[in-house]
Amino acid sequence: QVHLAESGGASVQSGGSLRLSCTMDLDYSADRYCLAWFRLTVGLQREAVATIGRDETTDYADAVKGRFTISLDNNERLSLLMDSLKPEDTAMYYCAAYYNVNYYTPEYVCETREDRYHYWGQGTQVTVSS
């Protein structure tokens, strides 16, 4: 049974840094999945912040490019390093996964639609104060 669990959320000052971690219990090797960090801001939908897929190909939302880094550590822990945090980064952050049936299609890019992700953690809160 697939299980994801986030940790690392905290309250920080604007300009600070945080590293979020997601421990994963998956049915297959982690590199066979598309993995992502999403965030939910009060009153808005969950949005994809960063994705990582085959060969550690990454993609980022425009709002976090150059500040956030997604990584897969030892093929078992998903991380999100967040630098230069802003108050607008305040949100509940979730790790998510779906099995990549397009693994043997090199040009395939992991999707950012929330409904494509089958597995979710419980979330970890990040609060950035000005």
Side-chain angles (χ1 to χ4, degrees):
Q1 185 171 354
V2 173
H3 181 70
L4 307 178
E6 305 92 338
S7 62
S11 295
V12 296
Q13 295 276 356
S14 180
S17 298
L18 276 178
R19 178 185 290 275
L20 305 183
S21 294
C22 176
T23 55
M24 303 182 292
D25 186 3
L26 302 170
D27 290 333
Y28 302 96
S29 175
D31 61 0
R32 298 304 298 266
Y33 291 80
C34 279
L35 305 171
W37 285 97
F38 282 77
R39 65 185 180 187
L40 176 62
T41 305
V42 174
L44 301 175
Q45 289 185 318
R46 268 194 293 212
E47 61 171 351
V49 171
T51 64
I52 186 168
R54 174 181 167 169
D55 297 330
E56 300 190 6
T57 301
T58 59
D59 193 23
Y60 296 91
D62 288 343
V64 306
K65 278 181 182 176
R67 300 189 298 121
F68 290 11
T69 304
I70 188 172
S71 62
L72 181 60
D73 307 324
N74 297 319
N75 204 30
E76 60 185 24
R77 185 182 68 181
L78 185 68
S79 294
L80 184 69
L81 176 61
M82 305 185 293
D83 293 319
S84 303
L85 283 162
K86 305 175 181 180
E88 51 264 43
D89 295 318
T90 295
M92 183 72 79
Y93 284 74
Y94 300 86
C95 60
Y98 68 90
Y99 184 75
N100 184 6
V101 297
N102 295 296
Y103 181 81
Y104 292 106
T105 304
E107 63 271 22
Y108 179 78
V109 177
C110 291
E111 299 195 34
T112 57
R113 284 168 37 202
E114 178 181 358
D115 62 359
R116 282 294 282 122
Y117 288 80
H118 302 146
Y119 308 110
W120 293 85
Q122 81 288 350
T124 187
Q125 178 68 37
V126 172
T127 302
V128 184
S129 58
S130 56

